[in-house]
């Protein structure tokens, strides 16, 4: 797989996920609405929303096979995550 093919595969996974719906739900929530109105933290909200959405979807993306888990753990170790 080339790097470009890998990127395309990742984008396809994201399109098929519920990530966009989760992001929409977070943005329209009352609590986030109040944060967006706060001039001191509004610039931090988009990154936080993305982080929360990714955490909520993590179980769905978590590799199911031993090989997939091993690859994920190897990438985490290499990136010191």
């Amino acid at each position: 797989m080339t790097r470009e093919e890998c990127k395309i595969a990742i984008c396809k996974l994201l399109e098929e996920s519920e990530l966009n719906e989760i992001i929409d739900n977070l943005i329209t929530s009352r609590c986030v609405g109040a944060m967006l109105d706060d001039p001191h933290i509004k610039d931090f909200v988009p990154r936080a929303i993305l982080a929360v959405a990714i955490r909520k979807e993590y179980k769905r993306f978590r590799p199911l096979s031993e090989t997939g888990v091993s690859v994920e753990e190897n990438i985490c170790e290499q990136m010191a995550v």
Side-chain angles (χ1 to χ4, degrees):
M1 175 180 283
T2 66
R3 286 181 170 92
E4 189 60 33
E5 289 169 333
C6 183
K7 185 176 179 179
I8 290 168
I10 290 169
C11 289
K12 186 172 190 248
L13 283 171
L14 290 172
E15 287 172 3
E16 294 172 355
S17 78
E18 296 176 13
L19 201 58
N20 287 328
E21 183 179 336
I22 291 170
I23 290 169
D24 288 341
N25 289 338
L26 287 167
I27 289 172
T28 58
S29 72
R30 190 173 297 153
C31 132
V32 170
M35 290 178 191
L36 291 171
D37 292 335
D38 185 327
H40 300 294
I41 62 170
K42 67 178 179 140
D43 293 336
F44 299 95
V45 176
R47 185 179 292 264
I49 287 172
L50 184 57
V52 169
I54 289 169
R55 269 190 244 147
K56 288 183 74 111
E57 272 287 271
Y58 175 73
K59 287 183 182 175
R60 191 164 184 274
F61 284 112
R62 178 104 172 121
L64 300 175
S65 69
E66 286 184 34
T67 302
V69 171
S70 176
V71 169
E72 177 188 2
E73 290 171 352
N74 189 318
I75 291 172
C76 286
E77 286 174 15
Q78 297 296 321
M79 301 301 293
V81 175

